[in-house]
Amino acid sequence: MVKETLAAPSSSPSSSSSSSSSSSSTASLSNTNLPPPEDAWIDTYHKLLPHWQSLSHSHLPTIPVSISRVNQVDAARLDVEMSAMLKEQLVKVFSLMKPGMLFQYEAELDAFLEFLIWRFSIWVDKPTPGIALMNLRYRDECAMEARGKVRTGLEGPGLTMAQKIWYCVATVGGQYIWARLQSFSAFRRWGDSEQRSFARRAWMLIQRVEGLYKAASFGNLLIFLYTGRYRNLIERALRARLVYGSPNMNRAVSFEYMNRQLVWNEFSEMLLLLLPLLNSSSVRNFLPFSKHKSSSSAEDDAACPICLATPTIPFLALPCQHRYCYYCLRTRCAAVPSFRCSRCSEPVNAMQRHAGVSINLVPKQ
């Protein structure tokens, strides 16, 4: 019995250690079985979101944005036509006023119309009429470069307030000041002044600035034809690019009006070419009813073939001796040196008063 009592305490430390290890294992199992906090997935999402965005954007291909150059040029042309239509209507309003008065303020009128178009289009974040018809709008290209890659032509904000104001200053104010400066210098004849005068120097400076502007515009046109961006220098300086306004646009092209216009132009050019070659009197002689009428009617022989009235001062055309009015025959012979008689198509060399002295119309050699 003594041995058993001595052995029992000796075995107690091992049992206690085993019990402590089992308790720790159960505690660890209980910890692994506990659910995570509710906000753990939100924290993990916010941590992984920047990495995911960087990976997704790095694999996205950049689609090149190509805007039709024809649409951009047509938009500029339509804006010019719109200004011309408004100007025509405004001129009709002042048609009953003093003639030439509106011509003195033509520069102010053009500037006023351009300001109206700018005020009700670009200033209120809307395209101009020509740009709207071509399904285009202005976009701030500086903002797009700051954002990074662009995938479509519909992205990007419009023009900023500063860009709108500078656009108005350049298009409205700049064109008005330049037009007035040119008209003033031409009226004052700065180019005809002395060689070393201030007016002569100012005139030369204006001519050089105009030449540099035209050269820069030509260079910008070549760049625009190659890249399809920035039609003029103002858009390039402001970084205002034309892009598509909506993804879909139905453009049904009809060539009926164009064909009619081309046919009429060709017909009018043919008439302008042939009519000066035709003589009305010779054409009239080819017609049978004209010959019959001239031969059968004595009254037509007595009447002047130009004004078709009885001559008050009758004169004879020589050598055919057909009667004319003096003023009719004299004016025709003075206007056309090789005038032919309207009745017989013979050349008129002289004119003679009926039963009077003849007047030679052919210069002597």
Side-chain angles (χ1 to χ4, degrees):
M1 294 295 294
V2 177
K3 290 182 180 179
E4 291 179 359
T5 56
L6 291 175
S10 63
S11 61
S12 62
S14 62
S15 64
S16 64
S17 62
S18 62
S19 63
S20 62
S21 62
S22 62
S23 63
S24 62
S25 62
T26 55
S28 62
L29 289 174
S30 63
N31 291 332
T32 56
N33 293 331
L34 288 176
E38 296 180 356
D39 299 336
W41 68 273
I42 299 177
D43 298 335
T44 307
Y45 171 76
H46 285 297
K47 290 179 182 179
L48 296 177
L49 181 60
H51 301 285
W52 173 255
Q53 288 180 349
S54 62
L55 291 175
S56 61
H57 285 296
S58 62
H59 292 291
L60 287 176
T62 302
I63 301 175
V65 180
S66 178
I67 310 299
S68 176
R69 297 166 179 79
V70 177
N71 287 7
Q72 299 183 56
V73 176
D74 288 346
R77 184 61 184 173
L78 288 173
D79 287 334
V80 173
E81 294 293 336
M82 179 63 68
S83 300
M85 290 173 60
L86 293 176
K87 184 178 179 180
E88 182 181 359
Q89 297 298 325
L90 195 58
V91 168
K92 288 182 179 179
V93 174
F94 296 96
S95 60
L96 299 178
M97 299 184 66
K98 182 180 179 181
M101 187 190 70
L102 198 61
F103 179 75
Q104 301 176 358
Y105 304 98
E106 187 176 3
E108 286 79 6
L109 180 61
D110 294 338
F112 176 70
L113 295 177
E114 292 292 337
F115 177 78
L116 285 181
I117 295 176
W118 171 85
R119 172 61 181 82
F120 294 102
S121 59
I122 296 178
W123 178 252
V124 293
D125 294 328
K126 292 182 179 180
T128 59
I131 294 175
L133 288 175
M134 292 293 107
N135 189 29
L136 298 173
R137 68 177 181 89
Y138 275 118
R139 184 181 73 183
D140 185 10
E141 199 69 11
C142 299
M144 297 308 300
E145 291 180 357
R147 288 188 177 188
K149 297 182 179 180
V150 182
R151 300 204 66 213
T152 64
L154 306 179
E155 300 173 352
L159 301 181
T160 60
M161 188 69 65
Q163 287 175 326
K164 296 176 184 178
I165 295 175
W166 281 113
Y167 186 90
C168 178
V169 170
T171 55
V172 180
Q175 293 181 3
Y176 168 71
I177 293 174
W178 186 255
R180 272 302 176 190
L181 183 62
Q182 284 187 333
S183 62
F184 182 78
S185 60
F187 180 75
R188 296 288 182 178
R189 296 183 178 180
W190 287 1
D192 299 336
S193 58
E194 297 179 0
Q195 188 67 24
R196 297 182 178 273
S197 62
F198 176 77
R200 180 70 177 179
R201 294 177 181 177
W203 174 261
M204 295 299 296
L205 180 61
I206 292 173
Q207 297 300 319
R208 290 178 181 178
V209 171
E210 185 177 4
L212 291 175
Y213 179 78
K214 290 181 178 179
S217 299
F218 180 71
N220 181 80
L221 176 62
L222 296 179
I223 297 174
F224 167 73
L225 294 177
Y226 180 74
T227 61
R229 298 185 179 185
Y230 311 120
R231 299 173 300 175
N232 49 48
L233 295 175
I234 298 174
E235 294 179 357
R236 185 171 294 276
L238 298 177
R239 305 299 300 275
R241 185 185 177 187
L242 286 175
V243 295
Y244 291 118
S246 61
N248 300 320
M249 179 182 178
N250 296 325
R251 186 175 181 179
V253 181
S254 177
F255 297 98
E256 182 180 359
Y257 175 76
M258 186 182 297
N259 293 334
R260 285 185 293 168
Q261 190 71 15
L262 290 175
V263 170
W264 173 250
N265 288 338
E266 294 296 332
F267 182 69
S268 60
E269 289 180 1
M270 183 185 66
L271 290 180
L272 291 176
L273 179 64
L274 295 179
L275 285 179
L277 303 178
L278 299 177
N279 191 356
S280 60
S281 59
S282 60
V283 173
R284 194 181 304 127
N285 291 330
F286 282 111
L287 300 177
F289 64 87
S290 62
K291 293 182 179 180
H292 178 71
K293 183 177 180 181
S294 62
S295 61
S296 62
S297 178
E299 295 180 357
D300 292 343
D301 293 336
C304 175
I306 297 176
C307 64
L308 302 178
T310 303
T312 54
I313 306 177
F315 265 73
L316 301 177
L318 300 179
C320 62
Q321 297 196 3
H322 286 117
R323 282 204 300 177
Y324 288 84
C325 295
Y326 168 74
Y327 295 105
C328 295
L329 184 59
R330 188 65 178 175
T331 52
R332 287 298 178 90
C333 293
V336 183
S338 59
F339 174 69
R340 293 176 177 271
C341 179
S342 301
R343 295 189 184 277
C344 60
S345 299
E346 292 187 7
V348 178
N349 298 327
M351 55 186 294
Q352 179 184 3
R353 187 165 183 172
H354 193 59
V357 182
S358 64
I359 301 175
N360 189 15
L361 298 175
V362 179
K364 297 182 179 179
Q365 300 294 334

